[in-house]
Amino acid sequence: MPALDPHPTGGQRMLLLILGAMLGIGVLIAVVATLASP
């Protein structure tokens, strides 16, 4: 089974969504912190 399945099952899709959300939130915090810093 390949690591990146083009058609993941329900559990795998949920895991990918959670990982993607965590990465997105981290990037968002980094951008806000960069803009907020003088």
Side-chain angles (χ1 to χ4, degrees), residues 21-33:
M22 286 169 61
L23 275 172
I25 290 169
V27 169
L28 195 68
I29 290 172
V31 168
V32 170

Side-chain angles (χ1 to χ4, degrees), residues 1-6 8-9 15-18 24 27 30-31 34-38:
M1 188 171 159
L4 288 173
D5 196 350
T9 55
L15 191 66
L16 285 170
L17 277 173
I18 292 170
V27 169
V31 168
T34 303
L35 290 173
S37 65

